[in-house]
Amino acid sequence: TTMAHVFFDLDHTLITAQSQSLLLDTLYKNKYISFINLLRLRLFFILYKLHITPQSYLDTIFALVAKMMKDREVAPVDKLVHDFVFKTFPSIENKVAVDELQKHIISNHTIILSSSAFEPIVKAAADYFQIREYRCSKLEIINGKYTGKLDGLPNYGLEKLNKLLDFDFTDSYGYSDHQSDIKVLEKTTHPYAVTPTSKMESFAVDHHWPILK
């Protein structure tokens, strides 16, 4: 078996939902976010689903989330999110993608989970799916607390590819549902569109990429 690298997206790829959208209620219930911010974030996820979110709006939302977490301790957030993932994910696994993941695990390939979501959720998701490596959006942490700032750029679009360039793309595989990941998939040897958006599906058809549904 070769040491092929395999890149998996999380939301609507390994799972059938938007993990951070599902997490909102838990964060609200545990008083991490206010009601008004709960509504703002709900609206964002609706617009994101409809694919009408310009990059500038995305950047604003990422910055808002960072600000909302200011001065919060990291450890309890990690625990809350970890528990949420292990409780929620069993019922929302996307079988077609998880089957592919299992094949790669058996083949001893190096698997990388790459998501625009924030670190607590991506770290917990990697743990849940037994994936060792992950890349994600990060919140700046000093002395075990969030500072209210982002740590680097959100892991979205071209930045997603930039954060993966330290991996070898020879005989690599890529799995995603969303057109924002086209640049990543184009770089892989074996790109797959998984339960794709209509935009992603037509791109996959035009480029003769396998489509998994």
Side-chain angles (χ1 to χ4, degrees), residues 58-67 118 137-141 147-154:
L58 273 164
D59 293 344
T60 306
I61 290 292
F62 277 99
L64 170 71
V65 172
K67 219 159 119 188
F118 282 108
S137 301
K138 291 192 171 192
L139 297 165
E140 187 182 67
I141 298 166
T147 66
K149 294 197 188 94
L150 292 170
D151 180 358
L153 294 166

Side-chain angles (χ1 to χ4, degrees), residues 199-210:
K199 251 188 193 159
M200 181 64 142
E201 182 158 10
S202 56
F203 188 93
V205 168
D206 287 348
H207 293 80
H208 309 289
W209 292 358

Side-chain angles (χ1 to χ4, degrees), residues 12-142:
H12 298 292
T13 300
L14 280 172
I15 57 173
T16 58
Q18 226 295 347
S19 55
Q20 295 189 127
S21 178
L22 295 179
L23 180 64
L24 287 180
D25 286 340
T26 299
L27 290 175
Y28 175 64
K29 255 188 278 191
N30 288 272
K31 302 191 168 37
Y32 279 97
I33 54 177
S34 66
F35 185 65
I36 191 75
N37 282 335
L38 174 71
L39 295 181
R40 284 167 85 176
L41 290 169
R42 279 219 186 291
L43 175 65
F44 165 72
F45 284 118
I46 290 164
L47 296 176
Y48 186 80
K49 206 172 176 176
L50 298 170
H51 316 303
I52 41 178
T53 46
Q55 183 73 46
S56 57
Y57 180 43
L58 273 164
D59 293 344
T60 306
I61 290 292
F62 277 99
L64 170 71
V65 172
K67 219 159 119 188
M68 281 167 17
M69 299 308 286
K70 186 171 162 46
D71 297 330
R72 298 284 192 166
E73 288 191 14
V74 174
V77 174
D78 275 353
K79 188 186 180 325
L80 181 74
V81 174
H82 187 274
D83 292 349
F84 162 83
V85 162
F86 276 74
K87 188 171 149 241
T88 314
F89 276 27
S91 61
I92 57 169
E93 284 186 12
N94 191 8
K95 190 181 178 328
V96 65
V98 175
D99 286 351
E100 291 288 308
L101 174 65
Q102 296 308 332
K103 276 187 238 166
H104 290 296
I105 289 172
I106 289 162
S107 303
N108 210 18
H109 293 159
T110 302
I111 299 151
I112 301 98
L113 181 63
S114 176
S115 171
S116 62
F118 282 108
E119 187 160 27
I121 208 152
V122 182
K123 183 164 70 173
D127 193 13
Y128 176 83
F129 285 113
Q130 296 174 318
I131 297 171
R132 276 192 218 104
E133 294 267 3
Y134 65 84
R135 295 288 182 274
C136 58
S137 301
K138 291 192 171 192
L139 297 165
E140 187 182 67
I141 298 166
I142 294 178

Side-chain angles (χ1 to χ4, degrees), residues 166-199:
D166 50 339
F167 293 106
D168 183 3
F169 277 82
T170 315
D171 197 29
S172 57
Y173 295 77
Y175 298 86
S176 178
D177 71 298
H178 200 269
Q179 58 273 13
S180 61
D181 290 335
I182 282 172
K183 286 271 180 280
V184 173
L185 293 192
E186 280 181 321
K187 195 150 171 64
T188 64
T189 322
H190 310 285
Y192 290 85
V194 181
T195 47
T197 63
S198 54
K199 251 188 193 159

